[in-house]
C-alpha cells in the first residue's frame, strides 16, 4: 500500500496571535509560514509524489501552492474530511482564555470524551480523517501502484490523531504527540499494519531550545506556532 506524507500547514496568522482558528475563514500563512511553504518543494524533491490532497482551508491551500507550482503535473484534490477539527463556539477564541474552560481539562486528559460546544467531538474528528486516509490509500494504490507516495496537507490535531490511529495509540494519549507548522510526518501502509517512519520532521532543531517562557504541561489545542 502507499506511503502517506502528512504535512501540517505552515505557520498561520492565528498561530502567532494565539487563536484557535478551526474553520474560521481568512486565516492565512504569516510571513514565516509563507517561507516554510516556499521551502517545501526542496525538502520533498527526492519524493515521486503521485497525488496531493489538501484540507479546504486557506492556510493548507497556501502551503501546497509552491509545491504545485514546482510540479506542474500535480493537481491538488480538496478533501473536507482532513479539514481542521470543528471547534464550534471555541473557534476564533484566544487559547489563553480557553485554558480556564472546564472542557479544556477533558481535551487534555480524556480527549475521546471531548465534544466542542456547537462543534464536533474529537472522536468524530479522528474517525472521518482515518476514513479519508483509507479511501485515498485504496485510490492511490489502484491508480499509481502499491509503492506510490502521496501527500496530504492538514492540521495539527488531525495529523496527531492519524498518527495515533496508525500506531494503535488510544486517542486519550494523542496529546503526547507534537507536530510543528510545515512539519513532515510519513506513514507507510502495508496489508497488515502501518509503520510510522517520520514524525513532525522540520529539519530545524530551534524549537528544542529552552524558551524564555515555560511551555507548560498541556498540549496546544490545534497545534501551536512552533519555533519562535
Amino acid at each position: 500500500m502507499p506511503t502517506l506524507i502528512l504535512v501540517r500547514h505552515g505557520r498561520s496568522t492565528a498561530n502567532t496571535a494565539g487563536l484557535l482558528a478551526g474553520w474560521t475563514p481568512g486565516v492565512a500563512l504569516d510571513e514565516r509560514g509563507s517561507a516554510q511553504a516556499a521551502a517545501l518543494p526542496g525538502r520533498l524533491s527526492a519524493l515521486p509524489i503521485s497525488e496531493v490532497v489538501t484540507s479546504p482551508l486557506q492556510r493548507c491551500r497556501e502551503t501546497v501552492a509552491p509545491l504545485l507550482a514546482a510540479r506542474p503535473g500535480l493537481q491538488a484534490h480538496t478533501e473536507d474530511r482532513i479539514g481542521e477539527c470543528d471547534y464550534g463556539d471555541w473557534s476564533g477564541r484566544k487559547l489563553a482564555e480557553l485554558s480556564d474552560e472546564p472542557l479544556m481539562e477533558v481535551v487534555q486528559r480524556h480527549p475521546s470524551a471531548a465534544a466542542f460546544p456547537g462543534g464536533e467531538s474529537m472522536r468524530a474528528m479522528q474517525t472521518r480523517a482515518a476514513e479519508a486516509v483509507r479511501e485515498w490509500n485504496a485510490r492511490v494504490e489502484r491508480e499509481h501502484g502499491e509503492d506510490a507516495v502521496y501527500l496530504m496537507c492538514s492540521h495539527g490535531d488531525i495529523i496527531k490523531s492519524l498518527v495515533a490511529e496508525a500506531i494503535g495509540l488510544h486517542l486519550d494519549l494523542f496529546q503526547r504527540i507534537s507536530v510543528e507548522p510545515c512539519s513532515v510526518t510519513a506513514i507507510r501502509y502495508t496489508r497488515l499494519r502501518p509503520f510510522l517512519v517520520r514524525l513532525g520532521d522540520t529539519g530545524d532543531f530551534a524549537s528544542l531550545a529552552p524558551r524564555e517562557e515555560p511551555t507548560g504541561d498541556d498540549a496546544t489545542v490545534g497545534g501551536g506556532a512552533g519555533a519562535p
Side-chain angles (χ1 to χ4, degrees), residues 9 11 14 17 37 50 70 131 160 176 183 197:
H9 62 79
R11 195 174 75 175
S50 59
E131 287 177 349
K160 288 161 56 177
R176 301 183 183 194
S183 62
V197 292

Side-chain angles (χ1 to χ4, degrees), residues 78-97:
T78 301
E79 174 58 76
D80 288 351
R81 290 174 295 177
I82 62 167
E84 180 62 285
C85 184
D86 183 356
Y87 298 116
D89 297 343
W90 280 25
S91 300
R93 293 182 59 187
K94 284 192 169 292
L95 287 162
E97 297 173 359

Side-chain angles (χ1 to χ4, degrees), residues 15-183:
N15 292 145
T16 46
L19 300 176
L20 186 61
W23 285 73
T24 304
V27 177
L29 299 183
D30 67 7
E31 185 176 354
R32 179 173 184 152
S34 296
Q36 291 170 332
L40 195 60
R43 292 170 60 199
L44 301 176
S45 61
L47 295 179
I49 297 170
S50 59
E51 300 282 358
V52 172
V53 185
T54 181
S55 156
L57 295 174
Q58 179 179 342
R59 52 198 183 273
C60 287
R61 291 186 283 106
E62 290 178 349
T63 298
V64 299
L67 178 64
L68 296 173
R71 303 194 188 198
L74 281 179
Q75 180 179 355
H77 305 273
T78 301
E79 174 58 76
D80 288 351
R81 290 174 295 177
I82 62 167
E84 180 62 285
C85 184
D86 183 356
Y87 298 116
D89 297 343
W90 280 25
S91 300
R93 293 182 59 187
K94 284 192 169 292
L95 287 162
E97 297 173 359
L98 292 169
S99 64
D100 294 328
E101 294 278 354
L103 177 60
M104 182 60 85
E105 186 176 12
V106 182
V107 170
Q108 293 291 335
R109 310 287 185 243
H110 190 19
S112 66
F116 296 97
E120 70 178 332
S121 70
M122 302 198 93
R123 285 195 320 279
M125 172 199 75
Q126 183 186 46
T127 298
R128 46 121 164 145
E131 287 177 349
V133 166
R134 282 191 284 273
E135 290 181 20
W136 275 99
N137 281 348
R139 174 174 172 174
V140 169
E141 181 176 8
R142 184 170 61 250
E143 296 180 3
H144 301 282
E146 61 183 12
D147 294 324
V149 177
Y150 76 107
L151 182 147
M152 281 186 168
C153 186
S154 189
H155 306 266
D157 281 349
I158 296 290
I159 294 172
K160 288 161 56 177
S161 73
L162 288 171
V163 169
E165 199 264 350
I167 64 176
L169 187 71
H170 197 284
L171 185 61
D172 284 343
L173 302 177
F174 98 124
Q175 298 289 24
R176 301 183 183 194
I177 299 168
S178 176
V179 290
E180 292 194 7
C182 224
S183 62

Side-chain angles (χ1 to χ4, degrees), residues 178-201:
S178 176
V179 290
E180 292 194 7
C182 224
S183 62
V184 173
T185 294
I187 302 171
R188 181 173 295 124
Y189 288 87
T190 73
R191 185 174 64 87
L192 297 179
R193 57 187 172 182
F195 293 89
L196 178 64
V197 292
R198 292 288 188 280
L199 176 60
D201 188 344

